[in-house]
Each structure stands twice: as structure tokens, then as C-alpha cells.
Amino acid sequence: MEKVRELLLSLPRRQKRILQVVADILLVWVALWMAFLVRLGLDELINPFTTHFWLFLSAPIVAIPLFIRFGMYRAVMRYFGNDALIAIIKAVSLSSLILGVVVYWYSNHQNVIPRSIVFNYWWLSLILVGGLRMAMRQYFLGDWFAAAQHMPFTSREDGLPRVAVYGAGAAGNQLVAALRMGRVMRPVAFIDDDTSISDRVISGLQVYKPKHIQRMIDATGAQEILLAIPSSNRGRRREILGFLEGFPLHVRSVPGFMDLASGRVKVDDIQEVDIADLLGRDAVPAQSDLLERCIKGHCVLVTGAGGSIGSELCRQILNLHPTTLLLFEHSEFNLYSILSELELRITRESLPVKLLPILGSVRNEKKLVDVMRTWRVDTVYHAAAYKHVPMVEHNIAEGVLNNVIGTLNTAQAALQVGVANFVLISTDKAVRPTNVMGSTKRLAELTLQALSQELAPVLFGEMSNISRVNKTRFTMVRFGNVLGSSGSVIPLFYKQIKSGGPLTVTHPKITRYFMTIPEAAQLVIQAGSLGQGGDVFVLDMGEPVKIIELAEKMIHLSGLSVRSEKKPHGDISIEFSGLRPGEKLYEELLIGDNVVATQHPMIMRANEDYLSWEALKVKLADLLVAVDKDDYARVRQLLRETVSGYAPDGEIVDWIYQQRRFEP
């Protein structure tokens, strides 16, 4: 049977259609003959092929052209669905109606034919023509027993992983059909909260209530649960995942509703559970006027456009119809990746946006000025920065030059050209920092705060003798960790689970704020529209999350158990590696408590102290001299004097300088 199935599937499309036409002609004749049988019975049945030859000749002549017209031979058997069934009903009904006219004419001129023959022919044709196609669909899927799986004596072992589908709605049924077709997993049950369908059978699968999951596992041997609830909000998904965590099942999901609607993914694109469903909240709807204010109809520049935050900013900016979007990035690969993605979207959605990739560094102020002046940039989102705490801790010169001087160069370029809006992507690590990365980001904030207070600042550096009228509105947006960003703990945990562990956590008490990248980028855009000049905005990050609890949840949702002293036979252990250089146990979002609400419930304005521009320029000049001389003791002193609350755990050491010191 398997060889016959493969042979039929391999036939050319033309031959498949000829076979279908021949089969339908035979079915039409059988239906007509059975119509006489049902009406006359076996005792009175005459040979209709001789007595009513004209009628048997007319039936396929009427039916087959209608079947062709209604697209019955264009439908693919393996994907046979409701639309094809409706087409069959229409085609058979219309052919029966026309055949009834033929019967009426035939009865008036020759032998009388019972009128009920037409009705019998109609319902028999529906059963035979539609039934054959339904049977062939199951045959080509190679799963004859799918629809009878809940019945006794029909179960069979095929070696496929057994999965239960959480959600018996449209997405769940589509997923079951896709799994049966792909034959990579075997669906064995549905789980659904709807009490009206519990203990019923849908698509051949028993529907269980959530409270009966253990019973379902015992009855079906399910090893995984696939979440098919794409339209559920994040709060509901978090609740479901928290409940499923107590069972020895690997939990995965189908994509979200918006991904399905946009066509980016299909319902059978199974993925690991989005960790945002465990940690995040439901996003507050965006305020369209704030989103569009600095972008719609404007030329927008994004620095660090290939990074985690920069690339998501570019995706969302594209939705807001700028005239031009400039991607400024120093990594060629990152620039190529985001450019390819955005170009595909522009082509697919016919967006009227000019997209330009620019390779360059924010340390090159002249290039920044040239780019902004050439394209008459209206809005700058400055996301270019080094953000990995341990990396910057021992590459101090690069951290200072990129995070501080890079921000200074970009801001001064914007000021010289007269850019209207400038938004700095900052971090919670800038608050009372214990590391170089956080202190350099706070120093970048101080630079923008100082420039905002000047009506015509005398520029720093090579432009030190030039004064420019300040037409730029500088804004800073401060938030915590984003899920899935480069260097994030989430991808590391997934990798460690896949390799069998252990999961490494720096400290049992370490906590962090988390937010999804799309939500953070959307709030950054809105906060940038709220600023008046020199504003430091703080995003509502919700409650901090203990990293140890996050690690345990990820292990449990992978269908594994945590190995510990109490459970020595668990699957994966968690080890503590100790705090890394410059790392804090707890992150903060505010230096002080003087926070002011804004018109957006997730965005607050922080009133932070700042230095005057003239005083800050002196500090920046001293800092550059110290970096140039590799005098990191002086760098540490200047950072402590300038950045409020900066308290390094120990001496800061640049690896290159340290190595050079001990060379003979």
C-alpha cells in the first residue's frame, strides 16, 4: 500500500487529473444506478444501462464540466478541506438540478422515470464523490487510524514522539493536521479550558481538562505539550505555563497571532516557549501620536542599527512611514543582516521608504556630520554602544571612547546640522554604577543633559572654537535587560540545557529587570516624543526576576528536572560561578525617588542632577588625556568624581595595559 501511495503521489499532475475524472465518471454511474436501486428495490430493478442508456450518458456529460468549473480537480487531496467540500456540494447540486430537467424532458417523451430518482442521485453523489476524496486524503496522509484514535483496538506504535495540543480551537486543529501530514510527531490528545468540549472528541483526539493532564499522560503516554493558543494574551500564557511546569513534559508552542497573520510563520512552525510569556506583562497599547511624532514623514538615522535594540528600532520605524531610514553601523555583517531583512519587507509590503546602509563608526564625528547634513536628518536614535559589563570592564579605553566620545560625537554632529530630535538609548546600569560600562553610559547621559541646557554651546574637541545655536531636543531613555538580546542569559540557558547542563548562575540572589525587545523599542520611540529637552525617561520594567528561578522554570518547561542535594537523580544541575567583574546583585532604574508621571503609563520622567557644559568639557578633556596615557587610576578617579554613585568594587584594569606593564 505504501508503494502504491508513493506511486500515485509521484504521477504528473495531468495524469492525476485524468484518474480523478475517470473515477468521477464511474462514481456518477454508480450513484445513478443506486438511485434506481433505492427507488425500485431489487425485485423491480430493471437494467438501467439498457432501458435508460440516454440518462446514463447524460449524467457524466452534465456533471464533469461542472466539476471542472468548480475547481474540483485543482484541489490537492492531501490539503482537502472545507472549501473543497463546499465546492463539491455546489457542483453536485447543480448537476443534479440540470439532470432533473433532463429527466423531466425524458419522461415526457419516452418511458416514465420516477421523480425521486433525482433526489436519490443527489445525495448518493455527495456521499460517493465527497467520501472518496475524504478517504483518499487520509490515504495520502498515510494515517488511516487518525480519526479513530480514541477508540479501543486502534492504537498503534509508530515510534513518533507523542504530543498533546493545548488549545482545541482553529490553531490547534490546524496544528494537528500539519503534524499528521509531516509525520514527525504524533498528536494524541487535546487539552482545553472550555468545559463545553471537555471529554469530547475533536479531529479524532480526546479533549481533556487541564486538571486531568496527569490522567492524559497515563492514558496516551504524551511526552510533549504544544501550545496552540496564539491569540491568548501574555498574562494568560504565563498562567498556563506556570501550571504546566509541574508536569514532566517538554512545553513548546506555535507562533503568536500577529506572526501568523503577517505570514512570517506558519501554524506548524513549532518553537520553544517564549520566555517572555513567563516573565513579561501584557504590553500597554501604543499611543499612535507619540509613535509617529518624530518619524512619520521624516528622515530618521539609527546608530548601532544592527544590534539587538537598534535592529528592532529599525523594524518598528519602518512601520511608521519615514521618508528615509539611515542604518548606521560599524559591523558589516550586522548591517548586511538588518538591511536584507528590511529590504525584503519593503518589497513585500510596497513601503514608500528609502533605505540606506552606512558603514561607519560613531567615533568619526566628521562622517556623522556629513551623513546628517547630506540626508537632512530630522531624528536620531543613538543605540550604538558597548553594553556587555565584563567585556567593557577590562577594555576600558574602548568603553570610554565608544560609549562616551561616540555619544558626544553623535550629539555634536546633530547639534551642528540642526537635527530636531535626538534620543539616547541608556541603561539601568547607569544608576549608581559599579562597573565601567554603567559609568560610561551615565557620562553619556550627563553629556546630553549638559548640552540641552546650552542655547549656543561652544563645541568640544576639534570644534572647540565653534559655537552653534542649539535646535536639538535631547532625550534619554533608561531601561533594564531585554529578552534575547546579544549577551542575554536566556540564549545561554537554552544552549546549556541542550548540551545537558549545568546551568551557570552567578549568584543565588541575583535579580534583573526584563522586557521584550519589541516592547522596549516601542516605548523608546514614544518616550523620545515626550521629551522637552534634557529629559531622562525611565521605562516601567515591572518586578525584578530572580535568575535562579528563571533557570529552574526553563529546565522544567524543557520536560526535565533540576538536580540538587534533595534530588540527586535530577536531569540538570545549576551551578553558581560568582559575580563577574563589575556586576551588581540588584539593578536600579532611578538615582533618586523624584520621578514624575507622563501621559504614558509605562514611561516616567526622572529628575537627575547634571553638570554644566563648561564643567563637563573639562572632565571630558581630562578623561581623554588619561585614556591616551593608559592612566587607568586617573580614569577611575575621574569617573568617581563625575558620575554620581559610581563605586567600583576594586581597581579597574585594562587587559592590554596590564599585559604591557609586565612585559620586559
Side-chain angles (χ1 to χ4, degrees):
M1 293 293 287
E2 183 67 23
K3 290 182 179 180
V4 173
R5 185 174 74 90
E6 292 177 0
L7 176 63
L8 290 173
L9 287 173
S10 65
L11 289 176
R13 184 65 182 155
R14 182 181 178 84
Q15 293 184 23
K16 290 178 182 177
R17 288 180 174 176
I18 291 173
L19 283 177
Q20 285 182 286
V21 171
V22 171
D24 283 342
I25 292 173
L26 294 175
L27 290 175
V28 165
W29 282 342
V30 170
L32 192 54
W33 181 80
M34 291 182 67
F36 279 96
L37 176 64
V38 171
R39 172 65 179 82
L40 302 176
L42 287 172
D43 295 335
E44 299 182 25
L45 183 65
I46 58 175
N47 188 345
F49 289 100
T50 56
T51 309
H52 304 295
F53 176 76
W54 170 251
L55 188 60
F56 276 81
L57 186 62
S58 302
I61 292 175
V62 170
I64 299 303
L66 288 173
F67 290 179
I68 295 172
R69 178 66 183 84
F70 279 89
M72 288 172 53
Y73 302 118
R74 293 196 299 269
V76 180
M77 287 293 183
R78 282 171 292 171
Y79 303 101
F80 190 81
N82 292 337
D83 292 341
L85 280 176
I86 292 172
I88 290 173
I89 293 171
K90 290 179 179 178
V92 170
S93 299
L94 187 56
S95 66
S96 300
L97 185 62
I98 295 174
L99 191 66
V101 175
V102 174
V103 167
Y104 177 78
W105 177 86
Y106 185 69
S107 298
N108 287 339
H109 291 79
Q110 298 186 35
N111 296 334
V112 174
I113 297 176
R115 302 290 192 272
S116 60
I117 293 296
V118 176
F119 176 74
N120 291 339
Y121 168 75
W122 173 72
W123 65 264
L124 285 167
S125 294
L126 284 177
I127 292 174
L128 292 174
V129 174
L132 176 67
R133 281 163 169 76
M134 296 291 288
M136 293 307 292
R137 180 183 71 173
Q138 292 302 114
Y139 174 64
F140 287 130
L141 286 174
D143 198 356
W144 286 100
F145 296 96
Q149 187 171 315
H150 65 289
M151 297 175 62
F153 312 113
T154 60
S155 61
R156 60 193 175 93
E157 185 56 52
D158 50 15
L160 299 179
R162 293 172 172 263
V163 299
V165 177
Y166 200 114
N173 278 273
Q174 289 178 51
L175 178 59
V176 166
L179 292 175
R180 285 172 174 166
M181 192 179 309
R183 305 190 72 191
V184 177
M185 300 179 181
R186 183 168 184 80
V188 295
F190 276 118
I191 304 165
D192 203 285
D193 305 306
D194 188 350
T195 55
S196 65
I197 60 172
S198 59
D199 298 324
R200 299 182 69 180
V201 175
I202 296 177
S203 296
L205 302 179
Q206 181 84 26
V207 182
Y208 291 86
K209 296 178 182 178
K211 65 180 180 181
H212 295 152
I213 287 181
Q214 190 57 55
R215 189 208 303 173
M216 181 273 295
I217 296 173
D218 297 337
T220 64
Q223 301 158 290
E224 291 191 31
I225 286 185
L226 305 180
L227 299 182
I229 46 175
S231 59
S232 294
N233 60 40
R234 190 169 292 153
R236 177 60 185 145
R237 292 171 73 88
R238 184 171 65 250
E239 182 182 332
I240 291 171
L241 290 172
F243 176 73
L244 295 178
E245 193 182 341
F247 298 95
L249 295 165
H250 186 185
V251 182
R252 293 197 283 175
S253 70
V254 296
F257 177 77
M258 292 308 297
D259 290 328
L260 292 172
S262 66
R264 288 194 294 267
V265 293
K266 302 186 296 296
V267 73
D268 57 326
D269 286 338
I270 298 167
Q271 58 195 21
E272 294 297 332
V273 169
D274 188 350
I275 205 68
D277 293 333
L278 283 174
L279 304 178
R281 314 136 300 187
D282 291 325
V284 173
Q287 298 180 19
S288 58
D289 60 322
L290 293 180
L291 281 176
E292 296 177 349
R293 186 174 298 169
C294 298
I295 295 174
K296 188 173 183 179
H298 297 298
C299 177
V300 180
L301 169 68
V302 179
T303 68
S308 304
I309 290 294
S311 60
E312 183 60 32
L313 278 170
C314 292
R315 294 183 192 103
Q316 299 206 21
I317 288 168
L318 210 59
N319 295 330
L320 300 171
H321 309 295
T323 56
T324 307
L325 176 56
L326 306 179
L327 313 177
F328 195 93
E329 172 64 55
H330 81 286
S331 166
E332 181 185 31
F333 175 76
N334 287 353
L335 183 60
Y336 171 76
S337 298
I338 188 62
L339 175 68
S340 302
E341 178 188 333
L342 297 183
E343 282 182 334
L344 186 63
R345 267 193 61 196
I346 288 174
T347 302
R348 185 176 63 237
E349 300 174 22
S350 301
L351 298 175
V353 179
K354 191 167 190 176
L355 190 66
L356 293 166
I358 300 171
L359 271 174
S361 170
V362 291
R363 297 188 195 177
N364 188 341
E365 184 173 357
K366 184 178 182 302
K367 178 157 190 174
L368 286 165
V369 172
D370 289 342
V371 169
M372 293 183 196
R373 179 171 289 135
T374 300
W375 296 103
R376 298 179 182 177
V377 171
D378 299 298
T379 301
V380 173
Y381 291 97
H382 181 52
Y386 291 142
K387 304 179 180 74
H388 198 269
V389 170
M391 201 70 72
V392 176
E393 195 66 17
H394 294 304
N395 291 274
I396 301 163
E398 292 299 305
V400 170
L401 294 174
N402 200 63
N403 293 0
V404 180
I405 305 305
T407 301
L408 174 66
N409 289 343
T410 312
Q412 290 196 152
L415 196 147
Q416 291 180 64
V417 175
V419 170
N421 310 292
F422 187 103
V423 182
L424 168 68
I425 313 302
S426 192
T427 171
D428 58 350
K429 294 174 177 61
V431 181
R432 278 184 279 269
T434 59
N435 50 68
V436 174
M437 194 282 283
S439 63
T440 57
K441 291 297 286 183
R442 177 57 187 149
L443 198 48
E445 290 181 357
L446 287 168
T447 301
L448 298 193
Q449 286 179 286
L451 280 173
S452 294
Q453 308 307 314
E454 300 291 323
L455 296 176
V458 176
L459 302 184
F460 179 82
E462 294 180 3
M463 306 291 183
S464 58
N465 295 324
I466 300 174
S467 175
R468 286 284 189 275
V469 175
N470 191 350
K471 299 179 181 179
T472 305
R473 184 169 55 91
F474 293 103
T475 304
M476 293 136 277
V477 185
R478 189 187 287 166
F479 56 90
N481 299 275
V482 288
L483 297 171
S485 65
S486 58
S488 169
V489 70
I490 309 299
L492 174 62
F493 283 171
Y494 274 130
K495 185 178 180 181
Q496 290 174 337
I497 290 172
K498 191 173 181 180
S499 62
L503 268 63
T504 53
V505 178
T506 55
H507 193 281
K509 294 183 179 179
I510 193 167
T511 64
R512 288 292 180 266
Y513 291 100
F514 285 98
M515 179 178 282
T516 65
I517 295 179
E519 184 181 5
Q522 193 176 77
L523 289 172
V524 164
I525 293 172
Q526 294 176 87
S529 299
L530 288 170
Q532 302 300 315
D535 306 86
V536 178
F537 289 107
V538 181
L539 304 187
D540 180 357
M541 300 292 296
E543 296 298 320
V545 175
K546 292 189 72 171
I547 303 301
I548 180 69
E549 293 179 0
L550 171 62
E552 290 172 351
K553 286 179 183 291
M554 292 181 67
I555 291 173
H556 291 151
L557 291 173
S558 296
L560 304 170
S561 59
V562 178
R563 187 189 309 149
S564 62
E565 292 182 0
K566 294 182 180 179
K567 294 182 179 179
H569 301 295
D571 300 302
I572 294 182
S573 63
I574 298 175
E575 295 181 356
F576 300 104
S577 58
L579 291 175
R580 297 173 297 180
E583 191 171 39
K584 289 202 287 190
L585 272 181
Y586 313 102
E587 298 291 2
E588 305 168 84
L589 290 168
L590 294 172
I591 292 177
D593 297 323
N594 50 343
V595 63
V596 179
T598 67
Q599 69 183 73
H600 195 292
M602 301 284 286
I603 302 172
M604 297 165 287
R605 181 182 282 104
N607 294 311
E608 307 284 27
D609 295 332
Y610 59 90
L611 298 176
S612 69
W613 175 236
E614 292 303 320
L616 185 63
K617 283 199 296 183
V618 173
K619 296 291 186 182
L620 291 175
D622 290 345
L623 186 63
L624 279 178
V625 170
V627 169
D628 187 57
K629 291 181 178 180
D630 292 328
D631 186 354
Y632 293 104
R634 177 62 176 160
V635 169
R636 182 175 184 267
Q637 180 186 348
L638 287 167
L639 289 176
R640 294 192 69 168
E641 291 174 359
T642 312
V643 177
S644 174
Y646 174 53
D649 294 331
E651 296 297 323
I652 59 176
V653 178
D654 186 278
W655 276 333
I656 298 175
Y657 172 65
Q658 183 184 41
Q659 179 66 22
R660 195 163 60 233
R661 281 177 57 196
F662 294 103
E663 288 179 353

